[in-house]
Amino acid sequence: MAHLLLRHRDIPNLDQLDVYVKNGGFEAFKKAVTAMQPDAVTEEVKASGLRGRGGAGFPTGVKWSFIPKNITPHYVVANADESEPGTFKDREIMDFNPYQFLEGLAIASYAVQANLSFVYLRGEFYYLAKKLDACIAEMEKAGYLGDNLFGTGFSLRLRTHLGAGAYICGEETALLESIEGKRGQPRVRPPFPAVVGLYSKPTVINNVETLANLPYIVTNGAAGFRKFGTDKSPGVKIFSLSGNVNKPGNYELPLGATFRELIMGCGGGISDGRKLKGIMPAGASSSIIRVDDTNLDKVLDTTMDYENVQSVGSLLGSASVIIIDDSHSMDWVINKTVHFFKHESCGKCTPCRDGNYWMLHLVERIHEGHASAGDIQLLKTVANQVNGKCLCALGDFSTMAVTSALERFPEDFHVGQA
Amino acid sequence: MAKLINLTINGVAVTVPDGTLVVDAAKKAGIDIPVFCYHPKMEPVGMCRQCLVEIGRPAIDRATGQPALNDDGTPKLQFMPKLETACTNPVSEGMVVLTATEKAKAGQKELLELLLTSHPLDCPICDKGGECPLQNLTVEYGSSQSRFIFDEKQRADKHVHLGELINLDRERCIQCARCIRFQRDVAGDPVLGFYQRGRLTDIVTYSDPGFDSVFSGNTTDICPVGALTTADFRFGARSWELKQSASLCAQCPVGCNVTFNTRREAKSGGVMAIKRVMPRQNEQVNETWICDKGRFAGYHYTEAESRLGLDAASMESALSQAADKLAAAKSDAVFLAGGRLSNEDFYNLKQLAAKLGAKAYLYSPMAGGEYTTAYGLGAGSNLGDLGKDDTVLVVASDLYNEAPVWHLRLKAAAKRGATLIVAAGRATKLDEFASFVVRYAYGDEVETVKGLAGKEKIGDAIKNAANLVVFYGSDGLGLAGTSALAAACADLLNGKTGKVNNGLVGVWNAPNTQGAYELGLAPAADLKSELKGKTVYVIAADPAGDDPALADALKSAKAVIAQDILATATTQMAAVVLPAAAYTEREGTYTTAERRVQRFYLAVPAKAGTRADFAIFAELGKKLGVELEGRSALLVMNKIAAEEKAFAGISYARLAEVTAQWPIVGRGDLYYGGTGYENKLGLGVHLALALTPAPSTSGRGGQMRPKENELVAVPVSKIYDLGVTMAPAKLLGQRIGAAAVGLNPVTAAKLNVENGGKVQVQVNGVTAEAIARFDESISTGVVLIYRSFGIPISEPTSVKIVVAEKA
Amino acid sequence: MSLVEKYPEEVKAIFAKYPADKKRSAVMPLLYLAQREEGYVKKESMQEIAAMLDLDTTEVASIVGFYTLYHDEKAGKYRMQVCNDLPCALRGADKFLESLCGNLGIKVGETTPDGLVTLEAVMCLAACDKAPMFQLQDGDKVEYYENMTVDRTMELVEALKKGGKEIK
Ligand SMILES: Cc1cc2nc3c(=O)[nH]c(=O)nc-3n(C[C@H](O)[C@H](O)[C@H](O)COP(=O)(O)O)c2cc1C
Ligand code: SF4
Ligand code: FES
């Protein structure tokens, strides 16, 4: 099947404007601006059932419809922070199919009537920012950006903004703070960005992949989009597959494809002929799915969509599927994840800031073999103490792997010789 | 009026205005929800997560849009699965808040434990010990054992100097950001910030000097742990040893309410000594803040080594000598009194002078009191009420330096929507918050004010203001200039006299200048000639130290009697010296420039061999056959109230009255408002408007302007100077700095003067050295000279500047 | 020399990016600019940026302190930032990093004696399928090096010594 999002895999040099245009590029944007009312675009996206690909799976059209019309200006911000360990899909889109993403951003901007929109890239994506800047310049030259587009009254400008190394800036309100030139720390919600967002104005924040779906939806309509995926999770999704598989990489599959298709099919199975032990479908923020002889088939046959991954005790999230084989102990795995979250905790709220500090000490002690039985129990308690009490979701994320590993892989946690 | 919302908190029915936060609603209902990051004077940020509670909201039936009901007909409640922060959630109709359920308590307790994993357990040596919210909460909830391994506690620097005034203990900091937010949002000096992130987050300042803000001390009050402490008080005493005594700050005309914390000390010979100054809440005056001048200079001069004192016999003889001299001089005597005296002192002084037929003058660099008494703020005014539709005009004053708490309050008024117009001869810190900044050339003050009404937007803002408050000061002006300026400003207020939240405010340089004016004193237009050949009685003023010309005038006086608390140049040349008690050692009242009469109470016993000024006047009266009340300040006030129309109805009892204030500070908990003190001893009473007819406001103006190739020096003020009450504040030495002059780079270039370079200033017959500081905002040909730095300047005058020889 | 004097065009372009009344947004790109030459932001640059944006220096410093790609101290000319986060570690990143340490003769966090390379361990860089990998931070620029081996990395170090960045 031809790709919808990773179209560059089918069409060479799609990152060149003329190639992109030759392949139908900007037709959707033009159609939206010249032939559709902004609200009609929103309605179409609503009808398509497109859900945010940044992790939470919130319906995109619904999010747009929260933008109040009586407060202006509006902004759209593309979330290209892509920092969840195991996630590398937005990077591929922007690198090889940048115009499709930018066209999506332009369509979203039209739908909510934003005249200035931003792409927020993690600081490490320096080269992508350069690339997107060049693409934006090309689009301006070609008349896809600027004033009175396609002879209508609609004007649009796009800008990139580079972060500088902070996972938390993927959280949408921290991201806005960062564009505003502040420390990237989350804001209290409500008010939500749809009402008080960038520069205190109504703002839509969407993931790169989410936006890259829009040209297809506008061109083919909601029904066209719904040909793929499931009823509640329509469309295709890029799965970033990493860890102990033979062929790691991005794979575009319809939502509702099974773990088996992804891991065994696309990924070529577990590397070094080892056994599958755990799956983290949402990067470091996942509850770890336990796989063993008793449930191997059940897990592998689980469909990957926003609802169904719950049946094996996890969430789809950003679909960054990390595969762990049986050579690894889960105490080591959560040592890694807690390390990550402690490093990335913004420090604004107590449970996440101090809880991760504490968890890290416990996890390290366990991993180094000095833990007492009480330490293992305490780790569970501390994780519970953090979960559900934080200002933003990072705090909760930091406990997912810990709690699930302790619960599902007790044999990996040993009381050490003091 | 905001809509009222009904809810229940722990079963107690509460009604509060729409928009109230759950934490505040609970506080009003007498329920304390623990908080660390929340402070009622700042926007909630929900960072510390200590205030976790259960919140239920009435469920809505999706089908009908109506409230869903339980089977028994009660409204169905929807509780979030997670605990919620009481500090970020506003109340809503029918809300049910549970702060003490097992779930909520567990959440609060767990949170506290997390905080303590990184907090040192050094309460026994911590300055905050005894008044620490974290300590209190730990005692309330905490388990006696830590589950955290002690060695794994984060170590951090415990002795960080954020400048020389405030110390930071990084280990104790709980990252609540109260200090950072106070500096950014309340003070408007964003000189504190977080550095790094996560568990490494700490507080830094990059300003020069460190923590460069005149409000810095407030952060130590609102810091909920012992992370921020003042260099003044650090390790000074334990909080539970301290007594509290209500007082006022006497450093400027705002009249901030303070509490002196005192204890008995061997160092002071076993008598009470003041250990620190804390703000005392008065929402109409200083809210819960004070500035660093009040905190760090504050009372220190009252314990300076140069305090005067006489044994009983010498005092008696000094009084007799003074009485003899006054008796001899009669109407040839001249009384000259500074604005540090209390209302009671001024009253007795006035009576004494009147009976002798002597002239009595106020010693003040600034005039215009005849306007502020007639056009002053109406009774009931509160700068905290100014907002949308109101206009505030500030002319010729750098409030940040001259009356810092007003700076803070006007900044807040502007934020609430008031139109703030700042007109000055130079850039001031208030400009940033102003709706309009008017810059004039020094000398054009009066013309500028007269022209404001004619300006399009500014004129509208003044004319259409629901309420109009005008502050005028003495930036660049002397007596004649300020008098003319006051008249011009009063003109803008015609038709608004006596109205609440309307009026003229003089930015005086002393705590009771307004009181002096209210009691009928005023400065002499030409003091020098008034003094020559007279018997001069100088009280609480140092003319000889301020100005060599006045020293000369005093030398040519027949006799000088000086009464003060400190040895000064004037007391040194006096024939008779009468030692006075400091205001910290006696009772009395001051009238703030907002015309609020407020009481100060005795904090420490009077230094041996001193007496309160009003009592000294009464003693002299006795010897001169004039009957004056000298037994107590209270009795003097009773007389004032009986005889001075403006003071009618005022009594010490009324001045001690307190009504409920919001936010509530200092109740059982310290989480909420910080360690500033609750006001239990009086919010003060506004004066009735003077019933004397307002003087004419027309026909004054005409200031000195520099001509081509001429330099004009003008006097300006800096918060920290070498004045009598400042100089003994050792801690502030660095911030006081050296004498400086300000000039435009263009002016400087003509003189070959470099920024920061040394110059010789020749002015008023004196040659002095100073550092040149560039100020691009001032007009060319003007030289700013800071008052009270040893370079005499009372009026705009010509000046010569030459580059000082390099050593 | 001030930033504006040194990079007038860049500064102008940065300000043009954001609404005129939102110039604070320019702080991050300006900090990158300040870091271009020596790989770290000096206090004078923070002061200059603060003045340009009507901020207090502390506010600018506080940004430098928050984000890991800004540095307030001098290090090697290049910062070699190896990802050893979970996905890369599952594919041998820890071992790779360890061997690099051996080959370079330094520990993580240290700089080679010639001042060329500072070796750092960093969190996920969105290149999990191409582990082992690192990014090379050079002033305000970042470049990715993916599917690396120790040999190829040492080759790169040699190239860097000679002023190049190319490897086979
Ligand atoms: C800690 C944290 C990190 C996040 N990181 C990202 C990210 O890197 N990229 C992203 O698109 N969304 C990220 N999100 C989700 C965003 O907050 C937001 O939900 C998303 O950008 C919305 O876009 P969507 O509706 O198109 O998914 C993160 C959320 C949290 C709490
Ligand atoms: S949960 Fe962590 S990342 Fe989120 S606000 Fe709290 S400290 Fe910051
Ligand atoms: S989160 Fe509510 S007081 Fe800190």
Side-chain angles (χ1 to χ4, degrees):
Chain A
M1 195 193 81
H3 290 89
L4 257 58
L5 301 169
L6 303 177
R7 280 172 75 217
H8 55 279
R9 295 192 178 181
D10 311 322
I11 306 167
N13 300 325
L14 195 58
D15 62 345
Q16 290 170 18
L17 186 66
D18 53 342
V19 178
Y20 182 69
V21 170
K22 226 175 276 163
N23 286 280
F26 295 110
E27 287 303 324
F29 181 41
K30 186 173 177 187
K31 172 178 168 188
V33 173
T34 56
M36 293 170 83
Q37 288 301 313
D39 284 348
V41 179
T42 302
E43 285 310 313
E44 197 63 44
V45 173
K46 250 192 213 172
S48 78
L50 172 65
R51 296 171 66 168
R53 306 302 196 222
F58 193 85
T60 305
V62 177
K63 189 190 266 187
W64 294 359
S65 62
F66 294 149
I67 295 286
K69 293 210 164 65
N70 55 347
I71 313 171
T72 53
H74 301 165
Y75 296 100
V76 176
V77 178
N79 188 342
D81 192 62
E82 186 148 75
S83 304
E84 180 68 46
T87 315
F88 41 88
K89 62 193 176 66
D90 299 338
R91 191 181 152 204
E92 179 169 346
I93 297 176
M94 291 185 287
D95 203 356
F96 300 103
N97 191 7
Y99 289 110
Q100 182 169 337
F101 153 58
L102 292 172
E103 183 176 3
L105 177 56
I107 291 169
S109 304
Y110 174 74
V112 302
Q113 291 291 292
N115 303 114
L116 175 64
S117 293
F118 287 90
V119 182
Y120 183 92
L121 298 115
R122 62 180 296 177
E124 292 82 354
F125 287 172
Y126 169 85
Y127 78 103
L128 287 179
K130 289 256 169 266
K131 175 152 198 161
L132 291 182
D133 282 342
C135 292
I136 290 168
E138 290 286 314
M139 283 169 69
E140 280 170 3
K141 245 194 286 171
Y144 298 121
L145 292 174
D147 290 331
N148 304 321
L149 296 173
F150 312 111
T152 70
F154 181 63
S155 309
L156 178 63
R157 283 178 173 74
L158 302 182
R159 303 274 186 262
T160 59
H161 183 96
L162 256 193
Y167 166 66
I168 188 59
C169 289
E171 195 283 337
E172 55 190 19
T173 59
L175 183 157
L176 297 178
E177 290 282 296
S178 186
I179 301 185
E180 290 182 8
K182 301 176 189 154
R183 293 163 63 85
Q185 295 189 312
R187 301 174 180 169
V188 174
R189 292 180 300 182
F192 290 91
V195 183
V196 182
L198 183 62
Y199 306 130
S200 303
K201 296 295 180 186
T203 302
V204 160
I205 297 126
N206 274 133
N207 171 260
V208 170
E209 184 187 351
T210 311
L211 294 166
N213 278 293
L214 297 172
Y216 187 89
I217 294 173
V218 168
T219 303
N220 300 284
F225 184 75
R226 283 185 169 279
K227 282 193 302 211
F228 309 100
T230 70
D231 184 38
K232 285 190 174 159
S233 302
V236 296
K237 175 87 192 77
I238 304 177
F239 295 86
S240 296
L241 182 64
S242 68
N244 304 129
V245 287
N246 283 315
K247 290 189 281 171
N250 287 317
Y251 298 101
E252 181 179 315
L253 298 170
L255 279 158
T258 62
F259 279 114
R260 191 187 300 280
E261 284 169 69
L262 177 69
I263 301 167
M264 301 304 165
C266 306
I270 309 304
S271 45
D272 301 330
R274 299 204 69 109
K275 269 183 158 165
L276 174 57
K277 175 171 179 177
I279 304 176
M280 300 180 75
S285 305
S286 317
S287 285
I288 310 174
I289 301 171
R290 181 187 171 110
V291 191
D292 56 28
D293 294 341
T294 66
N295 72 349
L296 179 68
D297 286 327
K298 177 183 174 229
V299 172
L300 286 179
D301 291 328
T302 303
T303 58
M304 299 181 291
D305 52 57
Y306 290 102
E307 284 70 37
N308 211 33
V309 177
Q310 283 181 47
S311 68
V312 282
S314 196
L315 290 169
L316 183 61
S318 50
S320 26
V321 183
I322 305 175
I323 303 300
I324 301 162
D325 72 24
D326 64 349
S327 68
H328 300 282
S329 172
M330 287 301 165
D331 70 334
W332 174 82
V333 171
I334 63 169
N335 192 343
K336 283 282 177 194
T337 61
V338 175
H339 227 94
F340 172 79
F341 288 110
K342 174 182 175 268
H343 187 263
E344 298 302 336
S345 165
C346 82
K348 186 166 181 176
C349 73
T350 311
C352 171
R353 180 186 64 233
D354 288 323
N356 272 295
Y357 179 73
W358 196 358
M359 285 202 285
L360 186 63
H361 278 297
L362 288 166
V363 165
E364 277 186 342
R365 217 180 310 148
I366 294 168
H367 183 59
E368 284 160 13
H370 306 307
S372 69
D375 284 336
I376 295 171
Q377 186 51 42
L378 186 54
L379 177 59
K380 201 179 277 183
T381 318
V382 178
N384 278 331
Q385 229 161 306
V386 173
N387 193 14
K389 313 226 169 46
C390 296
L391 178 65
C392 86
L394 187 148
D396 291 355
F397 290 172
S398 72
T399 68
M400 294 296 151
V402 174
T403 311
S404 57
L406 285 169
E407 219 172 81
R408 298 171 189 171
F409 301 89
E411 66 277 14
D412 283 5
F413 294 85
H414 303 290
V415 176
Q417 283 83 29
Chain B
M1 252 328 264
K3 197 171 84 185
L4 290 177
I5 302 286
N6 302 295
L7 69 158
T8 71
I9 305 178
N10 297 351
V12 181
V14 184
T15 304
V16 289
D18 197 8
T20 305
L21 298 166
V22 168
V23 65
D24 291 337
K27 188 79 182 176
K28 282 183 182 154
I31 297 163
D32 293 340
I33 298 173
V35 297
F36 285 121
C37 67
Y38 181 67
H39 188 283
K41 291 274 180 195
M42 296 188 271
E43 292 289 312
V45 285
M47 305 169 54
C48 77
R49 319 300 289 171
Q50 182 59 56
C51 62
L52 294 171
V53 296
E54 290 190 70
I55 299 181
R57 299 172 179 83
I60 300 293
D61 190 323
R62 285 237 179 135
T64 62
Q66 294 299 309
L69 299 179
N70 289 318
D71 293 342
D72 61 0
T74 53
K76 201 180 224 154
L77 288 170
Q78 225 167 9
F79 280 89
M80 287 280 179
K82 294 180 182 181
L83 292 169
E84 296 185 66
T85 44
C87 75
T88 59
N89 278 287
V91 296
S92 60
E93 190 63 35
M95 182 183 264
V96 171
V97 179
L98 303 171
T99 77
T101 55
E102 214 166 288
K103 184 174 171 186
K105 282 281 166 207
Q108 294 162 16
K109 188 176 161 177
E110 286 170 7
L111 202 285
L112 194 65
E113 185 185 24
L114 285 168
L115 266 184
L116 288 172
T117 59
S118 307
H119 195 82
L121 302 171
D122 59 353
C123 302
I125 55 151
C126 177
D127 273 314
K128 203 79 170 188
E131 51 186 16
C132 172
L134 183 61
Q135 189 183 37
N136 291 2
L137 273 181
T138 307
V139 171
E140 191 177 332
Y141 291 113
S143 56
S144 51
Q145 273 206 326
S146 172
R147 297 190 287 174
F148 197 69
I149 293 193
F150 182 77
D151 296 342
E152 291 176 350
K153 264 193 197 291
Q154 173 149 314
R155 301 285 143 171
D157 202 342
K158 294 184 74 69
H159 307 282
V160 181
H161 297 283
L162 298 174
E164 76 282 24
L165 302 179
I166 307 291
N167 291 309
L168 167 66
D169 181 325
R170 292 211 157 115
E171 265 183 11
R172 290 183 192 152
C173 171
I174 60 166
Q175 286 82 25
C176 69
R178 272 186 175 187
C179 56
I180 295 176
R181 290 181 290 135
F182 170 83
Q183 284 303 133
R184 186 190 61 202
D185 301 338
V186 180
D189 280 336
V191 293
L192 287 188
F194 275 139
Y195 205 69
Q196 308 224 49
R197 69 186 189 206
R199 192 46 251 158
L200 296 173
T201 305
D202 51 24
I203 306 284
V204 292
T205 177
Y206 271 67
S207 67
D208 185 17
F211 203 163
D212 187 15
S213 170
V214 304
F215 300 107
S216 70
N218 293 301
T219 61
T220 66
D221 299 337
I222 58 175
C223 175
V225 291
L228 293 175
T229 48
T230 66
D232 201 23
F233 180 65
R234 203 157 107 95
F235 302 135
R238 308 313 315 259
S239 64
W240 54 85
E241 309 162 347
L242 297 173
K243 292 210 158 43
Q244 304 154 23
S245 84
S247 192
L248 304 169
C249 177
Q251 289 288 354
C252 88
V254 173
C256 290
N257 293 202
V258 300
T259 294
F260 287 129
N261 279 136
T262 57
R263 78 166 178 189
R264 290 187 58 182
E265 286 202 318
K267 228 175 29 197
S268 348
V271 297
M272 295 300 261
I274 299 176
K275 297 304 294 176
R276 66 173 180 181
V277 191
M278 299 288 277
R280 183 169 56 112
Q281 185 181 29
N282 190 333
E283 288 302 314
Q284 310 188 50
V285 178
N286 56 306
E287 305 179 31
T288 51
W289 318 121
I290 56 173
C291 78
D292 287 355
K293 188 177 187 177
R295 193 183 296 261
F296 297 123
Y299 63 93
H300 279 299
Y301 67 97
T302 69
E303 43 186 45
E305 299 203 346
S306 52
R307 274 299 294 277
L308 300 169
L310 289 174
D311 61 39
S314 314
M315 175 70 111
E316 190 46 44
S317 112
L319 284 166
S320 301
Q321 283 179 43
D324 289 350
K325 290 198 191 308
L326 292 173
K330 289 252 166 50
S331 66
D332 228 16
V334 176
F335 287 40
L336 184 62
R340 262 189 287 136
L341 291 187
S342 75
N343 292 316
E344 295 76 5
D345 303 333
F346 278 126
Y347 178 79
N348 272 4
L349 172 150
K350 197 174 95 167
Q351 303 297 319
L352 187 62
K355 284 282 158 46
L356 289 171
K359 285 183 179 154
Y361 292 116
L362 173 66
Y363 181 69
S364 165
M366 182 173 160
E370 64 275 29
Y371 296 99
T372 61
T373 47
Y375 290 86
L377 282 177
S381 295
N382 178 355
L383 299 179
D385 290 341
L386 298 176
K388 208 173 148 295
D389 301 330
D390 302 331
T391 297
V392 185
L393 168 65
V394 179
V395 190
S397 178
D398 174 6
L399 288 181
Y400 185 86
N401 274 289
E402 297 174 60
V405 164
W406 282 341
H407 167 90
L408 191 151
R409 301 195 84 208
L410 294 190
K411 168 187 176 293
K415 193 162 177 221
R416 286 189 300 268
T419 304
L420 176 60
I421 307 165
V422 178
R426 58 184 173 131
T428 70
K429 281 227 188 192
L430 199 55
D431 294 359
E432 185 185 340
F433 311 104
S435 327
F436 302 100
V437 174
V438 180
R439 183 85 65 248
Y440 53 72
Y442 280 100
D444 283 351
E445 292 80 3
V446 170
E447 296 313 314
T448 303
V449 170
K450 285 185 174 160
L452 288 179
K455 294 200 169 192
E456 198 181 336
K457 286 183 188 152
I458 296 179
D460 286 348
I462 291 174
K463 273 179 284 194
N464 303 336
N467 297 297
L468 176 64
V469 180
V470 182
F471 288 82
Y472 83 99
S474 57
D475 192 77
L477 297 169
L479 285 177
T482 47
S483 172
L485 178 60
C489 290
D491 227 8
L492 297 173
L493 285 155
N494 272 328
K496 297 190 184 252
T497 37
K499 285 201 181 152
V500 180
N501 292 332
N502 285 274
L504 180 66
V505 183
V507 186
W508 317 118
N509 75 336
N512 201 30
T513 305
Q514 185 67 27
Y517 279 115
E518 300 288 351
L519 290 165
L521 282 91
D526 181 2
L527 188 55
K528 260 179 290 184
S529 40
E530 290 285 341
L531 301 181
K532 279 198 188 121
K534 299 287 170 66
T535 293
V536 186
Y537 183 9
V538 185
I539 310 103
D542 182 23
D546 289 344
D547 189 345
L550 289 174
D552 282 347
L554 286 176
K555 268 183 215 144
S556 69
K558 193 177 285 165
V560 176
I561 305 165
Q563 174 174 323
D564 209 327
I565 68 164
L566 298 170
T568 64
T570 306
T571 64
Q572 269 151 20
M573 64 186 297
V576 184
V577 175
L578 298 170
Y583 86 107
T584 52
E585 304 162 344
R586 45 164 289 200
E587 286 205 280
T589 61
Y590 289 141
T591 307
T592 74
E594 293 177 73
R595 303 185 80 243
R596 176 177 293 271
V597 180
Q598 306 188 112
R599 273 180 81 172
F600 55 84
Y601 296 77
L602 183 131
V604 290
K607 185 175 154 62
T610 66
R611 277 192 221 169
D613 294 279
F614 71 88
I616 296 178
F617 298 136
E619 286 293 324
L620 291 175
K622 218 186 275 172
K623 294 183 192 299
L624 293 165
V626 182
E627 200 184 317
L628 293 175
E629 181 56 72
R631 286 170 296 169
S632 79
L634 178 148
L635 295 173
V636 183
M637 179 50 78
N638 288 350
K639 284 197 141 184
I640 300 176
E643 282 168 34
E644 300 283 342
K645 281 185 205 146
F647 286 76
I650 290 185
S651 68
Y652 269 29
R654 262 194 79 198
L655 293 174
E657 281 170 14
V658 179
T659 49
Q661 300 194 77
W662 182 259
I664 296 165
V665 297
R667 205 165 63 190
D669 72 72
L670 293 161
Y671 339 120
Y672 192 68
T675 33
Y677 280 92
E678 187 183 348
N679 197 326
K680 296 178 180 157
L681 285 170
L683 301 177
V685 176
H686 254 128
L687 287 179
L689 216 68
L691 304 174
T692 45
S696 148
T697 53
S698 60
R700 302 231 214 153
Q703 287 294 301
M704 192 161 177
R705 291 281 314 269
K707 298 193 191 74
E708 187 72 16
N709 293 324
E710 191 193 56
L711 289 180
V712 170
V714 301
V716 297
S717 298
K718 186 173 163 237
I719 179 164
Y720 305 131
D721 60 20
L722 287 171
V724 172
T725 63
M726 269 299 301
K730 295 197 187 71
L731 200 55
L732 290 166
Q734 260 186 54
R735 312 240 164 182
I736 293 172
V741 295
L743 62 187
N744 190 297
V746 176
T747 317
K750 283 194 192 152
L751 301 164
N752 269 329
V753 168
E754 285 172 22
N755 198 9
K758 270 197 189 143
V759 293
Q760 284 204 328
V761 186
Q762 295 166 20
V763 68
N764 287 327
V766 168
T767 302
E769 206 155 84
I771 307 285
R773 298 250 178 261
F774 285 8
D775 184 341
E776 291 181 13
S777 69
I778 63 175
S779 39
T780 53
V782 169
V783 178
L784 307 179
I785 296 188
Y786 292 89
R787 296 182 174 102
S788 298
F789 268 99
I791 308 176
I793 179 141
S794 57
E795 301 278 345
T797 183
S798 63
V799 64
K800 239 184 113 176
I801 301 275
V802 289
V803 177
E805 302 280 338
K806 294 217 169 72
Chain C
M1 235 200 317
S2 72
L3 288 177
V4 191
E5 287 163 352
K6 214 183 276 177
Y7 309 110
E9 289 309 312
E10 281 95 335
V11 170
K12 218 163 89 189
I14 288 170
F15 277 102
K17 266 189 151 176
Y18 305 97
D21 59 338
K22 309 291 181 213
K23 59 181 178 177
R24 183 178 178 146
S25 285
V27 69
M28 292 185 69
L30 287 173
L31 283 171
Y32 275 123
L33 204 55
Q35 196 166 274
R36 180 177 287 183
E37 218 146 86
E38 296 195 55
Y40 75 109
V41 188
K42 296 187 183 147
K43 189 169 176 190
E44 299 85 82
S45 307
M46 297 186 205
Q47 285 164 336
E48 187 196 345
I49 292 172
M52 275 196 255
L53 304 179
D54 296 328
L55 295 174
D56 189 273
T57 310
T58 308
E59 291 173 290
V60 176
S62 160
I63 313 256
V64 174
F66 185 82
Y67 297 96
T68 55
L69 286 177
Y70 298 130
H71 310 284
D72 56 5
E73 273 176 16
K74 198 165 174 59
K77 178 159 170 34
Y78 300 97
R79 289 173 183 263
M80 184 176 282
Q81 298 164 334
V82 180
C83 172
N84 69 340
D85 210 345
L86 178 63
C88 277
L90 285 166
R91 303 181 67 79
D94 285 324
K95 220 189 242 142
F96 170 72
L97 181 59
E98 209 182 295
S99 325
L100 270 190
C101 285
N103 276 272
L104 290 168
I106 52 174
K107 292 210 253 325
V108 173
E110 291 179 347
T111 305
T112 51
D114 57 0
L116 189 73
V117 174
T118 301
L119 190 62
E120 296 174 324
V122 298
M123 300 300 157
C124 181
L125 296 174
C128 320
D129 54 337
K130 302 190 180 69
M133 63 80 59
F134 56 83
Q135 65 183 4
L136 206 60
Q137 195 183 9
D138 170 12
D140 61 337
K141 287 177 267 311
V142 185
E143 277 172 72
Y144 274 54
Y145 291 85
E146 300 174 314
N147 294 318
M148 292 303 280
T149 60
V150 176
D151 289 348
R152 289 185 66 227
T153 308
M154 293 314 294
E155 219 179 283
L156 172 69
V157 172
E158 283 310 309
L160 291 175
K161 264 187 206 156
K162 298 190 190 105
K165 280 189 186 173
E166 296 303 312
I167 41 170
K168 280 174 258 156

